[in-house]
Amino acid sequence: MELHLLLLFMIFAAIVAVEVKDLLSSVIGVGAVGFALCLAFLILKAPDLAITQLVVEILCLIILIRATINKDLPLVIEGRWVFNTFATLAFVAVFLFFAFHALKELPSFGDPIMSVVKRYIAQGKAETGAVNLVTAVILDFRAYDTLGEATVLFASVIGIMAVLRRPGRKKIEEKNHD
Amino acid sequence: MTLYFLCLVLFCIGLYGVLRKRNIVKIIIGIGIIEYSMNLFFVLLGYKLHGRAPIDAQNQDILNMVDPIPQALVLTSIVIGLGITALLISIAIRIYDKYGTFDITKIKRLKG
Amino acid sequence: MIDNPKNGMSLLVKTITRITVGLILLFGIYIVLHGHLSPGGGFAGGVIVALSLVHLILAFGREAKVAKISMNLASNLESLGALMFLSVALLGFLGGTFFLNVLNKGLPFKLFSAGTIPFSNISISIKVGVGLFAIFLALIILEGTKRKR
């Protein structure tokens, strides 16, 4: 029951975030979606994910606000706006119709199949010595995926430093000091 | 069943933002909403009714835990989503420096 | 945060920041070290350590001593974290396969247990924390010397 209310709140906040003209208000809407997601992770009995989602959301908000201060855009309705909007909404409706029929094949909510996990739950504490099963899975049973994630983060940090580098920065600083 | 459908409705709102908006920051916000909806969908698949968190406790014998494998995969996905958003925002800042606007219909010069 | 002046925020914020930066850093280190006993782990703890350094720069402005850490030192520390994680993985070759957990498993519920998992947590937290701090520095500090074209 609480999950239904949280999801309805997230849908409302997402509509606000996508449609509002002011950029700062839409960033606050994205922050609301992220914090409601952290609450949903707590209700679904996943404390690791709740901690990580909370702190990542805070850092993401700081970065988004940095990019959007004092930079707005006036709305202009031009050309084939009506046709484009209706085409997108028709595509979304067809997608949701087929998704509804596909989702009936999944096992019902609260009754997972759990065929792979039986061995991890039964022997995880004895084989790795770790009490937290999620840590045992990401750092011992599936440590190769964690190596891949470390590589992706490294690549994104290098990419940001390469994009934001400005040649001739020292010359401008010397001009300022004169 | 309705929970899975509401997750996909959230995905479609993000998809509408990516397809129809002209401001680059709105497109990045749409991509972020798509990431949140897919993380939630994954964790919903592994929930067991009246289950407990996948952490052992002393002197207790815990029989029904929720599935820990989707949680391990989503933990990776959350941090990668942060890296994606940061890189897209830095590209948007460089575009604003060069063209003076965030509007995607005006970023068409192929030279200089 | 708006306009990010060179002097940072008001005196009230600076006084409170002196107290809270150490507490946030200590909390982050606690979550990293107890990753195999309670929820958390390397990624959440690393982001919290990065947030404590971001807190310091936001309160004290661009002229704080921490901001003088050049980009080279941050890049070197992040590469050091990644290399430590790889060396923990290669240590598994002593047992037979890549990434095998070779150290002594110990008793459960103790701090020094679970083989190589605490070392993996520490190296991942160094890498994630310093990397995210370098992203923040690149976005904030390198913005000040432009718009002169």
Side-chain angles (χ1 to χ4, degrees):
Chain A
M1 187 57 207
E2 304 96 10
L3 275 177
H4 290 88
L5 286 177
L6 263 180
L7 265 174
L8 284 175
F9 172 72
M10 278 165 77
I11 288 176
F12 179 65
I15 292 179
V16 163
V18 168
E19 282 294 324
V20 165
K21 289 190 190 116
D22 189 19
L23 274 181
L24 194 57
S25 309
S26 56
V27 168
I28 292 179
V30 167
V33 174
F35 286 130
L37 185 64
C38 171
L39 277 180
F41 282 152
L42 267 183
I43 292 181
L44 288 171
K45 307 283 197 305
D48 280 302
L49 296 181
I51 295 179
T52 310
Q53 167 71 25
L54 185 67
V55 289
V56 160
E57 180 64 31
I58 292 176
L59 204 56
C60 186
L61 275 183
I62 292 179
I63 292 179
L64 273 177
I65 289 184
R66 167 67 190 89
T68 64
I69 288 289
N70 299 335
K71 291 169 186 166
D72 272 336
L73 195 69
L75 175 67
V76 167
I77 298 182
E78 61 178 19
R80 306 158 26 162
W81 182 83
V82 172
F83 172 71
N84 283 344
T85 307
F86 274 122
T88 310
L89 285 177
F91 169 71
V92 164
V94 167
F95 173 77
L96 281 178
F97 173 71
F98 282 116
F100 180 72
H101 285 290
L103 285 177
K104 284 186 195 167
E105 306 290 329
L106 284 176
S108 67
F109 176 64
D111 195 12
I113 301 182
M114 282 175 96
S115 59
V116 179
V117 163
K118 281 190 179 23
R119 178 175 176 262
Y120 290 166
I121 290 182
Q123 298 168 6
K125 196 166 114 176
E127 279 189 23
T128 62
V131 169
N132 189 358
L133 268 181
V134 177
T135 304
V137 168
I138 62 171
L139 286 180
D140 195 356
F141 288 120
R142 292 200 193 253
Y144 205 48
D145 301 338
T146 309
L147 182 66
E149 175 196 353
T151 309
V152 168
L153 265 179
F154 193 68
S156 90
V157 170
I158 289 180
I160 290 177
M161 283 197 200
V163 163
L164 286 179
R165 187 179 301 272
R166 285 187 173 78
R169 186 167 64 98
K170 288 205 174 127
K171 287 193 195 146
I172 299 179
E173 272 181 358
E174 283 168 11
K175 269 193 228 160
N176 279 343
H177 282 303
D178 289 336
Chain B
M1 172 60 201
T2 37
L3 281 175
Y4 297 145
F5 189 66
L6 286 177
C7 253
L8 284 191
V9 168
L10 191 64
F11 174 84
C12 287
I13 292 176
L15 190 65
Y16 177 81
V18 170
L19 288 177
R20 279 295 291 152
K21 291 292 165 183
R22 282 170 54 212
N23 198 345
I24 277 191
V25 179
K26 285 283 176 70
I27 295 178
I28 295 173
I29 284 177
I31 292 180
I33 291 182
I34 288 178
E35 280 165 15
Y36 291 157
S37 80
M38 279 299 114
N39 290 340
L40 183 62
F41 184 73
F42 228 104
V43 177
L44 274 178
L45 279 180
Y47 181 63
K48 196 167 178 180
L49 275 181
H50 307 298
R52 282 192 47 164
I55 297 178
D56 260 333
Q58 271 170 330
N59 309 330
Q60 278 178 32
D61 216 8
I62 299 185
L63 290 175
N64 49 346
M65 288 187 185
V66 296
D67 204 349
I69 289 190
Q71 296 185 12
L73 301 176
V74 166
L75 188 63
T76 301
S77 167
I78 290 176
V79 187
I80 288 182
L82 173 69
I84 289 178
T85 305
L87 186 58
L88 286 175
I89 286 288
S90 72
I91 290 179
I93 289 179
R94 282 299 264 166
I95 285 182
Y96 189 83
D97 284 342
K98 198 167 165 55
Y99 290 91
T101 175
F102 271 140
D103 196 353
I104 57 172
T105 55
K106 296 193 171 46
I107 307 178
K108 281 183 188 169
R109 290 182 293 173
L110 279 178
K111 58 176 174 63
Chain C
M1 183 76 204
I2 301 183
D3 297 340
N4 204 6
K6 289 202 182 297
N7 298 332
M9 298 190 172
S10 65
L11 183 62
L12 190 66
V13 176
K14 285 185 190 174
T15 311
I16 300 285
T17 304
R18 281 180 235 264
I19 304 175
T20 53
V21 162
L23 292 176
I24 296 178
L25 192 63
L26 196 62
F27 184 65
I29 294 177
Y30 160 76
I31 285 200
V32 166
L33 282 182
H34 288 252
H36 55 284
L37 297 175
S38 68
F43 294 105
V47 177
I48 293 180
V49 166
L51 271 182
S52 82
L53 297 173
V54 164
H55 180 47
L56 193 61
I57 289 203
L58 281 182
F60 282 94
R62 237 176 279 159
E63 301 297 313
K65 289 293 189 298
V66 179
K68 299 287 200 293
I69 295 179
S70 67
M71 211 51 74
N72 284 337
L73 180 62
S75 309
N76 289 344
L77 268 181
E78 188 194 2
S79 313
L80 183 72
L83 282 177
M84 268 173 62
F85 187 61
L86 266 180
S87 68
V88 164
L90 287 175
L91 204 64
F93 271 126
L94 290 179
T97 44
F98 192 50
F99 263 124
L100 194 62
N101 202 351
V102 288
L103 295 182
N104 187 16
K105 299 294 186 317
L107 302 166
F109 298 104
K110 293 268 187 283
L111 190 55
F112 295 109
S113 64
T116 59
I117 288 184
F119 296 106
S120 296
N121 269 337
I122 293 175
S123 55
I124 284 181
S125 85
I126 291 178
K127 179 185 183 312
V128 168
V130 179
L132 290 178
F133 181 59
I135 291 180
F136 177 76
L137 276 183
L139 278 174
I140 303 293
I141 303 298
L142 287 182
E143 286 296 309
T145 60
K146 65 167 193 70
R147 286 196 186 114
K148 299 282 199 255
R149 304 184 191 179

